[in-house]
Amino acid sequence: MPGKFTVVPVKDGRRRTGKAGSEDEDVDHNNVLREEDEDAPGDGNPKESSPFINNTDNDKGNNYDGKNMALFEEEMDSNPMVSSLLNKLANYTNLTQGAQEHEEADDDEGPKKKAVKSPQMGTFMGVYLPCLQNILGVILFLRLTWIVGTAGIMESLAIVGMCCSCTMLTAISMSAIATNGVVPAGGSYYMISRSLGPEFGGAVGLCFYLGTTFAGSMYILGTIEILLTYIVPKAAIFVAVEKEDEADALLNNMRVYGTCCLVLMSLVVFVGVKYVNKLALVFLACVILSILAIYAGVIKTAFEPPDFPVCLLGNRTLQNHDFDKCLKTEEVDNVTVTTKLWMLFCKGPELNASCNEYFVRNNVTEVQGIPGLTSGVISDNMWSDYGPLGMLVENKRQPSVPAEDTSRDIYMPYVFNDIATFFTLLVGIYFPSVTGIMAGSNRSGDLRDAQRSIPIGTILAIATTSFIYVTCVVLFGACIEGVVLRDKFGDSVKGNLVIGTLSWPSPWVIVIGSFFSCCGAGLQSLTGAPRLLQAIARDGIVPFLQVFGHGKANGEPTWALLLTGGICEIGILIASLDAVAPILSMFFLMCYLFVNLACAVQTLLRTPNWRPRFKYYHWSLSFLGMSLCLSLMFISSWYYAIVAMVIAGCIYKYIEYRGAEKEWGDGIRGLSLNAARYALIRLEEAPPHTKNWRPQLLVLLNLDSDLGIKHARLLSLTTQLKAGKGLTIVGNVLEGTYLTKEAEAKKAEQNIKASMSAERTKGFCHVVVSSNLRDGFSHLIQSAGLGGMKHNSVLMAWPGTWKQSNDPQSWKNFIETVRETTAAHQALLVAKNIDSFPTNQDRLGEGTIDVWWVVHDGGLLMLLPFLLRQHKVWRKCKMRIFTVAQMDDNSIQMKKDLQMFLYHLRLNAEVEVVEMHDSDISAFTYEKTLVMEQRSQLLKQMQLSRTEREREAQLIHDRNTASHAALNDKADTGPDRVHMTWTKEKLFSERNRNREANANVAVRDLFNMKPEWESLNQSNVRRMHTAVKLNEVVVNKSQGAHLVLLNMPGPPRNRGGDENYMEFLEVLLEGLNRVLLVRGGGREVITIYS
């Protein structure tokens, strides 16, 4: 199917077809890939439209009738045949994102769109000439002679060499990026954003936009300077009355005429952008003719120098606007009369009139402004001649007698420096003359073979312009007198453009040529900048720029043009070409810096997709180019460089926090992956030192039946504990198989991520589907994290409803999780009453965080309050540490030792030692233990047969209905009435069902409880005693605390006592609101050493 259809990607993500062949042409109906089906909608991917991205919907209409590929027929919907893919690639083309499509829209009157023509421009017309036109411009004609005169030939060559090397290295990097796949129109912005990501792309794209906009200002100022200085000086609106006001008058004229010119150019761009593009060749012809006129003039000076006399008074250069003869007096009919020059320095025409002291002491001499190529003036122009503002332009070779009074010099017709000059300033002013290297890549959509044309055309254009600049520097220095070179506005050669005095056949060739060149360049800037802004706005990465993505019906960026005009006006109000040039130098250098960075990053990462056709690049060249760009930024103007970086940085952070998320397969993401891999490998080498230990949390969440999060405050606590530092993995387990629960797992992950975002918890989400919850939590504890970035602590909520649950698996899973964290040497944090914990928006007032340090298991108890108090929620809370003293402990010494220990730990906390004396086990403890064991026996009946379970359920029902209240009452009043809960018959029946064939156990009198207590497991009694006594002490001391941290006892080794373990913990925590049970991981986490 070659050549019949052109598949064109358009902005809404759909593909349209235009038939280039005849309607009546035969179609092979047996072909399984129908051409009629190719205008199916695209995949809606917000990334760039490209045939390289599989379009899953595109081939769904295809009927597969063949038998050869029957093995793959079920995959045809998602994976097209290779022949179909190749057909799309062969017919793929780019729409030009420039004036061409708008011209077509303007010309297309009928309802049917014209067929899109394939681009036909070659290297010469499509890349070389546009680059040449953009690079050569206003600085060459208006400032290069002045730069050569001021800096000297040697330093001027250094400036030209640095700037041209910078652009050449950037062009090499740009060529590599531009030939790495299809580059749609969009130029440098597209290349950088797709190589370095949306943040860098947006920041550099806007910098490039600002640079292009200020370039428009510079070209307009150049146009007005040529107009008012060299073409029609009398058109000036503001005329200086005093000599010292001339500079301000010139600037005001520039502002008025520049604003009018900007409005006029904007209207031209708004109304008829097609004419701007059609006149581009005319403007380019003006540039080339002007340069040829310069070379012709240089050749002519070798044998016939032009006559441009320069008048010197002593060694000072004079402005010769107001006199025609370089004489103080002259003989007219044998009578000595004064000249017009005399009148400028004396108070009258008389020979005895009072004159300026310097005028009296020195003679006037006349030298040729253009001595010619063979004059040897090159030796005088070899070195620099910098000076401050107001410095006189002098010829050091001429004799001069200084005057004592120089106060009136400013009012004399001397040629002065209008600005202070130094090397770095000249670098900033010159650099805009080498910009414009992106012109070829900006037209990539118009090129027949962009991957071949862009490198060749751009590098040839830079080589050509570099040759022109270097030869011009040498030839200007070899042909023109130094004082004329340093005369910026040509005042010493009757107001002629200095470069014009060298040209042949007439100075007007350069004047008119440079005027139209600046006009054309200004129009091109005002055409290109709004389109660049529109492209950035349409990418959607900078939300506040969305409005600038809209335009006229034909796509003209109207709003973007208005903004461009407004920014351009700022440059015009600055009014000085020398002040605007360094500004746009900064923005262009910033752009070039990131082009080099993009190439270097892609080369070093060696991403599989990095396969440029242009092979003559290397990462070291890119880094050299990047370093040169950075150096030139600070050489030109360090404060402008900082401002440009701050602007780019602000845009970067704005896009990072507020911009739309884009995935463009950029190099920064690859760089992050490489850095992460390297860091993980380094972390794997050794466990972290105690000084570096911080809780890396695995948060175990529970979801409800709708996959909503049950305890969102766990995430709040995580945020308060972590403050954005370290690793956080939020895990959840769904029961089932992954094949059936895949959709639910994804939904659960989305819900968890939404909650993490709402609670500002920075971390990762991990949802596991397992056949049962027990195994799922075990898998998470074992395998969550990667390499050295694994969790060392587990945070979970206390199962508050474990008593009410009919399913014992809930608390069994909890206990098994405790055991697994202990086996894995991980710390465990269990939050009781988690829903009463503060949110991130709460601010707790004065209060305490109480730490009950019963056993030492690594010091995590002391570290957690310190971490919590770093967060705003807990900042006002004070830390109190309680420790328990036994009978044989010296509590006073313990307190001193603990205070010293905390001092060495650099922790501020109140210390209190609580004495727990050995006491008899109370009746209340016995009764609590009895109730616990009775409940344990009842729960064991749940494991019997169905019939027995039904009877057991009846027993539980009887107990709950008839005797539950009595049991609770007796538990509060003492053990002497607990026996009322059970009858003799029920006790016998229960023991028979338990099948406990213990012949030694006799039937005891239920009205006497002492024998019943003796039958209790004494280990359970002791543990219950500890829980009751410790609970009494903790409630007494810490009931009003904002948070209580307490050592968590370990579960029993014998799994038969698991339900008793839950009862012990319940008793231990009774009467406390917010509790965090802490179980250490078996290693020290806090140290006194630095």
Side-chain angles (χ1 to χ4, degrees), residues 1039-1069:
Q1039 193 163 23
H1042 285 317
L1043 179 64
V1044 176
L1045 283 86
L1046 186 63
N1047 283 114
M1048 183 179 184
R1053 291 190 178 90
N1054 178 17
R1055 282 179 167 78
D1058 283 358
E1059 61 272 21
N1060 298 340
Y1061 173 69
M1062 296 296 289
E1063 287 281 2
F1064 295 144
L1065 293 181
E1066 196 73 63
V1067 171
L1068 181 62
L1069 305 178

Side-chain angles (χ1 to χ4, degrees), residues 223-234:
T223 303
I224 302 306
E225 184 176 311
I226 294 168
L227 180 72
L228 293 181
T229 309
Y230 307 114
I231 299 178
V232 280
K234 294 181 180 178

Side-chain angles (χ1 to χ4, degrees), residues 199-405:
E199 293 89 357
F200 278 113
V204 180
L206 285 175
C207 283
F208 191 52
Y209 163 74
L210 291 172
T212 309
T213 305
F214 276 105
S217 301
M218 185 185 72
Y219 290 127
I220 291 172
L221 290 173
T223 303
I224 302 306
E225 184 176 311
I226 294 168
L227 180 72
L228 293 181
T229 309
Y230 307 114
I231 299 178
V232 280
K234 294 181 180 178
I237 298 172
F238 300 92
V239 179
V241 178
E242 300 293 334
K243 180 81 173 176
E244 60 267 26
D245 295 332
E246 283 183 357
D248 292 335
L250 175 63
L251 294 180
N252 288 329
N253 284 318
M254 299 282 279
R255 291 184 180 109
V256 172
Y257 278 98
T259 303
C260 296
C261 184
L262 172 62
V263 171
L264 186 64
M265 286 185 174
S266 300
L267 286 173
V268 170
V269 172
F270 179 75
V271 174
V273 69
K274 63 178 78 172
Y275 302 113
V276 175
N277 289 279
K278 287 176 180 175
L279 287 171
L281 279 177
V282 176
F283 298 137
L284 178 61
C286 292
V287 175
I288 293 174
L289 284 174
S290 301
I291 291 171
L292 291 176
I294 294 168
Y295 282 113
V298 168
I299 294 169
K300 186 172 178 292
T301 62
F303 51 87
E304 188 184 338
D307 184 28
F308 283 98
V310 176
C311 190
L312 301 176
L313 175 61
N315 64 357
R316 298 179 180 180
T317 311
L318 299 177
Q319 299 180 6
N320 61 356
H321 294 292
D322 301 321
F323 60 91
D324 49 0
K325 294 180 181 177
C326 187
L327 297 168
K328 291 185 179 181
T329 59
E330 61 179 338
E331 296 286 335
V332 178
D333 298 331
N334 295 325
V335 177
T336 302
V337 295
T338 57
T339 61
K340 291 182 179 180
L341 179 60
W342 181 279
M343 294 293 295
L344 295 174
F345 286 90
C346 301
K347 294 185 177 178
E350 301 83 10
L351 289 172
N352 60 353
S354 175
C355 296
N356 178 271
E357 183 185 357
Y358 189 83
F359 181 76
V360 173
R361 291 187 177 189
N362 292 276
N363 295 322
V364 292
T365 53
E366 192 174 69
V367 297
Q368 274 300 325
I370 314 292
L373 197 59
T374 58
S375 63
V377 75
I378 187 171
S379 60
D380 299 325
N381 294 329
M382 196 64 71
W383 309 109
S384 61
D385 189 6
Y386 301 116
L389 170 67
M391 187 187 82
L392 296 168
V393 175
E394 299 175 337
N395 187 335
K396 304 297 185 186
R397 290 178 292 122
Q398 295 293 330
S400 173
V401 180
E404 295 178 2
D405 182 18

Side-chain angles (χ1 to χ4, degrees), residues 536-537 540-548 654-655 657-660:
I536 298 170
I541 57 173
V542 186
F544 71 82
L545 292 180
Q546 294 289 342
V547 66
F548 299 110
Y654 177 81
I655 295 172
Y657 286 113
R658 295 291 307 277

Side-chain angles (χ1 to χ4, degrees), residues 49-79:
S49 295
S50 167
F52 293 90
I53 299 173
N54 279 341
N55 186 352
T56 57
D57 297 331
N58 215 26
D59 298 311
K60 286 191 177 178
N62 295 342
N63 295 319
Y64 180 75
D65 299 324
K67 298 177 182 176
N68 294 335
M69 293 294 164
L71 189 61
F72 299 95
E73 62 186 3
E74 292 184 0
E75 300 178 20
M76 289 299 171
D77 287 344
S78 58
N79 301 330

Side-chain angles (χ1 to χ4, degrees), residues 613-668:
R613 289 189 178 277
F614 180 79
K615 300 298 183 186
Y616 306 102
Y617 69 93
H618 193 266
W619 64 266
S620 58
L621 293 178
S622 299
F623 268 114
L624 182 60
M626 189 173 68
S627 305
L628 200 50
C629 288
L630 194 62
S631 303
L632 285 173
M633 284 177 70
F634 282 93
I635 287 172
S636 302
S637 174
W638 64 268
Y639 44 90
Y640 278 157
I642 291 173
V643 169
M645 287 180 166
V646 167
I647 291 173
C650 291
I651 297 168
Y652 178 95
K653 296 309 289 184
Y654 177 81
I655 295 172
E656 187 178 43
Y657 286 113
R658 295 291 307 277
E661 293 183 4
K662 299 282 182 180
E663 175 51 58
W664 287 330
D666 51 88
I668 292 298

Side-chain angles (χ1 to χ4, degrees), residues 688-704:
H689 191 272
T690 302
K691 291 185 287 187
N692 298 326
W693 195 96
R694 66 167 61 245
Q696 318 284 12
L697 289 180
L698 169 63
V699 184
L700 299 180
L701 281 183
N702 289 323
L703 303 182
D704 56 26

